[in-house]
Amino acid sequence: MLPITSSRSSDGRPTHECGVCGIYNHQDSAKLTYFGLYALQHRGQESAGIVTSDGSKVSIYKNMGLVPEVFSESTIQSLKGHLSIGHVRYSTTGASNITNAQPLMVTHKGITLAVAHNGNLVNSITLRTSMEEKGSIFQTTMDSEVVLHLMARSAHLGLEKALTETFTALKGAYSLLLMTQDTMIAVRDPDGFRPLCLGKLKNGGSGGWIVASETCALDLIEAEYIRDIEPGEVVIFKDGTLTSIFPWPKQSSNFCIFEQVYFARPDSEIFGINVYLARKRMGEILASEAKIDADFVMPFPDSGNYAALGYSQASGIPLEMGVIRNHYVGRTFIQPTQSMRDFNVKVKLNPVRSFLKGKRLIIVEDSIIRGTTGKSRVRALREAGAKEVHMVVSCPPTRHACYYGIDFPSANQLIANNKTIAEIAAYLDLDSLHYLSLEGLVRATGMTDNDFCLACFNGKYPIEPDRSFHKDILG
Ligand code: SF4
């Protein structure tokens, strides 16, 4: 799901994209979806929504805000039915728009259809323009709405053929859930860019199922993880059973490796890999690639926590928490005074001055995007009296834009796109800077480079993107 009116997180880091969760065949489907979305909150903080159905009557509620802000006990109770899909959308610092909150829902010839989408369709502009020329009217500026139009047009073919026709027309990244009055459908694109997993509900229903972006959603509601929805798979939940179809020819996967580096929760299993262990291994491999003499290793919580642990254990250099995080930071609309430099960093993270004074530090970061955040962080450590500041990064330099659903800035705003590593180190005022090699990153996952999309590092896009695309293209 790519919103057209969007902006980046205020600290200059890539924002998480969306999260989806669906429940089939459980009398408390809205409540379970709520808890699933709660676990997936890190994937989107701007808006949340749930659609339910009791087999004939469909209910929807969505609003701007975090999951517990959007839903109250009474709202959840009003969402009746054994079937539901939900969505969390990522945060913005610019205009927020309830029209673009998901799930999106339409009724066409008596059939209600709702969609909750994570990813980005690379040919949505072409499809949308061609539909608009033929008279279609779009309610939102979301690429996801194209899915509803295509499904409505193909409805006369019957469900399986309509799904095949719709998703054959789409190009790009989509892990999504569709819902009608009596059916839930989970779809993952043939490249499998974004994760999507299937679990079995343990209590309160016969044969209930959950589909979610990450396994951490299953853990919270004590569902049993069964397997991932495979790349190129469509799973239809109808009449109490589930049917799996593969409309596309088999191809190699292109999992987004950034899910492992940064986006997914460390307690999730993503693409069959435990994220916590993969991040630790990234740190271990970094320690073998970048040997530095220093007093201790430290993360800026929480971005490099697990890679820092791996780096420390592999190098023998002690791990310390030299910066303390304020866990109670919300949004503030009061602007800091001009003299309060680096306010956005300082409000969240404060160095322990008496501990850092005179020390040689290795900071572990999971990524450097624009470099603005890193610059403020290093300055804070220098001001706290650190003698040397080295930085190691648990992925290679991020040089290329993402067209598959991650809110990176355009390539020319990426610091590694127009500076050498030595220039970045100088800009950040570091004593040294080391990135994990691409080979080391892939090795940390235990898979091969054929399994992953690595385009933001090597510029090799698995699906040719529409390079004229920008977020405001549809107004
Ligand atoms: Fe993920 Fe990077 Fe590929 Fe985008 S370009 S899907 S962030 S690996």
Side-chain angles (χ1 to χ4, degrees):
M1 182 286 298
L2 190 76
I4 304 307
T5 50
S6 70
S7 58
R8 300 181 39 67
S9 64
S10 59
D11 61 3
R13 296 169 61 72
T15 43
H16 297 266
E17 289 300 305
C18 306
V20 298
C21 180
I23 299 287
Y24 180 75
N25 220 9
H26 194 287
Q27 67 272 21
D28 285 329
S29 72
K31 191 174 264 189
L32 295 186
T33 303
Y34 168 85
F35 285 123
L37 294 179
Y38 204 97
L40 297 171
Q41 186 77 82
H42 61 290
R43 297 186 74 89
Q45 299 96 46
E46 180 190 305
S47 64
I50 295 177
V51 180
T52 59
S53 174
D54 63 5
S56 57
K57 185 172 178 296
V58 178
S59 310
I60 181 167
Y61 188 80
K62 56 185 178 176
N63 214 332
M64 308 309 293
L66 300 172
V67 174
E69 294 166 352
V70 168
F71 297 102
S72 63
E73 184 80 41
S74 64
T75 319
I76 293 294
Q77 276 173 10
S78 71
L79 293 167
K80 305 248 185 270
H82 63 285
L83 167 60
S84 72
I85 63 171
H87 188 269
V88 284
R89 185 181 166 207
Y90 80 107
S91 64
T92 75
T93 53
S96 294
N97 191 339
I98 183 66
T99 313
N100 285 345
Q102 292 202 25
L104 299 177
M105 192 169 91
V106 293
T107 300
H108 178 75
K109 294 187 177 170
I111 296 173
T112 298
L113 190 60
V115 64
H117 173 204
N118 175 208
N120 179 39
L121 306 174
V122 299
N123 65 338
S124 64
I125 305 298
T126 316
L127 289 170
R128 183 179 170 125
T129 306
S130 131
M131 285 182 207
E132 282 178 328
E133 279 165 3
K134 289 176 189 146
S136 294
I137 295 169
F138 284 77
Q139 295 172 9
T140 74
T141 49
M142 311 290 291
D143 59 349
S144 318
E145 197 179 349
V146 168
V147 178
L148 296 179
H149 280 261
L150 288 171
M151 280 295 291
R153 282 169 176 231
S154 309
H156 64 281
L157 298 171
L159 184 61
E160 287 196 20
K161 281 194 177 151
L163 286 166
T164 303
E165 190 156 294
T166 295
F167 289 101
T168 306
L170 298 177
K171 283 193 187 137
Y174 46 93
S175 279
L176 59 77
L177 293 169
L178 285 164
M179 200 188 104
T180 66
Q181 282 97 328
D182 61 1
T183 307
M184 180 171 88
I185 301 144
V187 190
R188 193 162 170 216
D189 66 71
D191 292 85
F193 286 103
R194 305 277 145 240
L196 198 63
C197 67
L198 174 70
K200 194 127 185 43
L201 302 175
K202 275 189 183 157
N203 305 310
S206 54
W209 297 91
I210 175 172
V211 176
S213 295
E214 294 186 31
T215 58
C216 62
L218 278 52
D219 296 340
L220 186 62
I221 63 167
E222 299 183 336
E224 180 192 356
Y225 169 73
I226 300 297
R227 64 178 178 83
D228 282 3
I229 305 290
E230 288 184 38
E233 183 178 13
V234 177
V235 181
I236 303 166
F237 302 79
K238 190 176 168 64
D239 299 329
T241 60
L242 103 193
T243 311
S244 165
I245 56 172
F246 287 84
W248 303 274
K250 190 97 182 132
Q251 64 160 79
S252 60
S253 60
N254 283 296
F255 303 137
C256 170
I257 204 163
F258 233 90
E259 293 275 354
Q260 286 291 338
V261 172
Y262 173 79
F263 292 115
R265 253 175 60 163
D267 49 339
S268 286
E269 308 282 327
I270 298 288
F271 316 134
I273 310 157
N274 177 263
V275 177
Y276 175 91
L277 292 176
R279 286 184 191 164
K280 250 189 95 178
R281 276 199 296 269
M282 289 168 204
E284 289 164 7
I285 295 169
L286 250 179
S288 67
E289 293 183 352
K291 295 188 167 61
I292 303 164
D293 192 17
D295 298 315
F296 59 83
V297 178
M298 55 169 270
F300 269 92
D302 294 320
S303 53
N305 286 4
Y306 312 102
L309 197 56
Y311 190 99
S312 168
Q313 289 179 359
S315 66
I317 301 172
L319 178 77
E320 296 282 358
M321 304 304 286
V323 174
I324 304 305
R325 180 174 172 191
N326 179 354
H327 286 271
Y328 305 98
V329 175
R331 291 179 190 183
T332 172
F333 299 101
I334 313 276
Q335 291 301 310
T337 62
Q338 274 188 347
S339 59
M340 295 166 79
R341 196 170 59 165
D342 302 330
F343 178 80
N344 283 338
V345 168
K346 282 180 183 162
V347 76
K348 284 187 208 151
L349 299 162
N350 195 27
V352 187
R353 289 171 175 274
S354 48
F355 179 68
L356 293 172
K357 197 161 188 296
K359 300 285 191 345
R360 299 169 303 154
L361 326 175
I362 303 172
I363 309 167
V364 184
E365 286 281 17
D366 53 24
S367 56
I368 304 176
I369 302 300
R370 293 172 196 242
T372 45
T373 305
K375 193 172 177 65
S376 303
R377 290 177 169 188
V378 175
R379 186 156 54 212
L381 296 174
R382 297 272 186 210
E383 286 172 0
K387 188 168 136 201
E388 289 177 23
V389 183
H390 304 267
M391 186 181 284
V392 294
V393 186
S394 62
C395 69
T398 311
R399 295 201 166 100
H400 307 275
C402 175
Y403 296 91
Y404 310 128
I406 299 303
D407 188 19
F408 277 178
S410 57
N412 60 10
Q413 292 176 304
L414 296 167
I415 191 167
N417 182 263
N418 47 38
K419 281 187 169 43
T420 64
I421 293 176
E423 286 169 342
I424 299 169
Y427 172 79
L428 299 180
D429 190 22
L430 291 165
D431 290 281
S432 73
L433 171 64
H434 307 267
Y435 286 88
L436 181 62
S437 67
L438 194 56
E439 182 274 326
L441 173 60
V442 172
R443 186 151 47 91
T445 67
M447 298 172 83
T448 74
D449 52 5
N450 291 329
D451 298 314
F452 288 107
C453 171
L454 305 167
C456 48
F457 305 121
N458 64 12
K460 293 180 185 165
Y461 291 97
I463 300 175
E464 183 53 32
D466 174 0
R467 288 168 203 260
S468 68
F469 181 87
H470 59 86
K471 291 172 192 168
D472 301 321
I473 202 160
L474 295 178

